[in-house]
Amino acid sequence: MHTGTVKAVRIEETGGPEVMQLVDVELPQPGPGMVTVTQQAIGLNFIDTYHRSGLYPIPLPSGLGMEGAGVVTAVGEGAEFAVGDRVAYCSALFGAYAQAVNLPASRLVRIPDGIDFETAAAALLKGQTTEFLLQRVFPMKAGQTCLFHAAAGGVGLLFGQWARAMGVTAIGTVSSAAKAELALAHGYAQVVNYAEENVAERVRELTGGQGVPVVYDGVGRDTFDASLASLQPRGMLVSFGNASGKPEPLDLQTLANMGSLYVTRPTLLTYTASTEDLRMSSAAVFDRLLAGEVQVSIGQRYPLAEVARAHTDLECRLTTGSTLLLP
């Protein structure tokens, strides 16, 4: 498939899973700097549900989806790829939920030999998130300890393995015994069940009263105070998501009172804004996968036509590991 009519998911309005419609769209020839990617696998991420529901506003009507992997089937003027190249992306444009899509070549990365399309689509966004958190926002060193919330989530499972490969002691928070087992099997040194334990108190116990130099918090409102209370003096809270909603406004004096703490709110898009940073980050992900230091588990696959069911299952916490849509 090069160009012409393709099946794609579109939304005309925000709302529940039912607002997503699988329709025929005309895909034009790729323009300058663009390529057509015929998709082999599409990654489903929690942020997709925010775009669909309107929590993160996007211009409408719109496609959905940010992550995919496939084959280049048409090349626009000046684009640095050839027909037949295997590529992946996770920060190009909206519209990954489609059989084929036109994308800027500068936001694509080549998939190395030894990695299949499904692995690339399941690992790239969560893997790049792990890379920039662990290696750039607060560059962890072997022997250091950190706290990561929602350790059994999609990013959490990759984070635990990557931390272990770096010689970092990762403490993870989970909500059940089953998730605790999963986190421990994916590289976490210790887990704290926040349904039964006081997180900050337990972290202090595990660190000899010290606290940790950094907390990675993608949960938001429900964990923010515990995150600050788990830090050692001059520690950093890396708040990278709002799964439970936005944290309450922060009085800066609190940071002084708790030991000259730092807080940052980074995004993957900022840390991969340049093509150079994007390719460096994706190369790090692929290197860890090829070395066997990180493995991605694909918990479920859905046909593209069943995208509404996929969103429902994700929002109802019925999925494990990564989820793929197959065009």
Side-chain angles (χ1 to χ4, degrees):
M1 190 191 324
H2 295 278
T3 45
T5 304
V6 300
K7 296 273 186 204
V9 172
R10 288 283 182 270
I11 58 169
E12 302 283 330
E13 59 182 354
T14 55
E18 71 284 352
V19 302
M20 295 183 289
Q21 304 294 322
L22 188 64
V23 297
D24 289 329
V25 299
E26 284 300 312
L27 192 67
Q29 288 288 335
M34 304 285 284
V35 301
T36 301
V37 177
T38 296
Q39 311 249 63
Q40 303 296 315
I42 300 158
L44 179 68
N45 291 285
F46 219 92
I47 195 170
D48 302 349
T49 69
Y50 297 164
H51 294 141
R52 185 211 74 224
S53 70
L55 182 67
Y56 289 3
I58 57 175
L60 296 175
S62 179
L64 282 176
M66 299 177 66
E67 180 177 40
V71 180
V72 174
T73 47
V75 180
E77 184 189 342
E80 50 166 323
F81 287 92
V83 169
D85 282 349
R86 301 165 71 244
V87 296
Y89 61 92
C90 67
S91 57
L93 295 168
F94 295 115
Y97 294 4
Q99 290 175 320
V101 64
N102 287 341
L103 297 168
S106 62
R107 303 308 294 169
L108 296 176
V109 299
R110 283 184 173 81
I111 303 173
D113 293 342
I115 293 179
D116 59 45
F117 291 114
E118 289 198 351
T119 300
L124 195 59
L125 191 140
K126 296 174 183 73
Q128 287 196 324
T129 300
T130 299
E131 181 277 324
F132 95 89
L133 291 174
L134 261 175
Q135 300 191 176
R136 290 192 285 153
V137 177
F138 187 103
M140 295 295 295
K141 298 182 179 63
Q144 286 185 308
T145 301
C146 64
L147 178 66
F148 189 97
H149 289 296
V155 176
L157 295 180
L158 287 181
F159 185 97
Q161 298 173 76
W162 200 309
R164 178 173 59 190
M166 290 174 64
V168 168
T169 299
I171 303 169
T173 69
V174 294
S175 59
S176 70
K179 288 183 173 180
E181 275 185 46
L182 195 60
L184 289 169
H186 285 77
Y188 288 88
Q190 283 113 0
V191 291
V192 180
N193 185 337
Y194 61 79
E196 298 173 355
E197 302 176 278
N198 179 301
V199 171
E201 284 178 13
R202 187 74 186 109
V203 168
R204 299 248 168 230
E205 284 174 19
L206 292 170
T207 56
Q210 294 276 302
V212 291
V214 58
V215 177
Y216 297 99
D217 188 342
V219 176
R221 177 179 292 156
D222 291 354
T223 48
F224 194 81
D225 291 343
S227 294
L228 287 178
S230 298
L231 287 166
Q232 62 193 40
R234 290 159 54 188
M236 180 184 285
L237 168 52
V238 180
S239 174
F240 69 97
N242 299 326
S244 67
K246 285 185 186 175
E248 294 299 315
L250 176 66
D251 179 352
L252 288 178
Q253 187 60 38
T254 303
L255 300 179
N257 296 347
M258 296 182 78
S260 302
L261 302 180
Y262 295 83
V263 176
T264 184
R265 181 65 177 85
T267 70
L268 176 61
L269 289 175
T270 308
Y271 277 79
T272 57
S274 71
T275 301
E276 182 185 8
D277 281 341
L278 173 73
R279 304 254 162 96
M280 179 194 74
S281 184
S282 64
V285 175
F286 291 141
D287 286 349
R288 296 280 179 188
L289 287 166
L290 288 168
E293 293 171 337
V294 168
Q295 292 175 325
V296 60
S297 65
I298 299 166
Q300 44 283 309
R301 297 168 175 83
Y302 301 84
L304 185 58
E306 294 183 22
V307 64
R309 184 165 69 91
H311 270 230
T312 300
D313 288 354
L314 184 67
E315 289 180 301
C316 293
R317 302 290 198 268
L318 298 177
T319 63
T320 57
S322 291
T323 302
L324 293 179
L325 299 170
L326 301 178

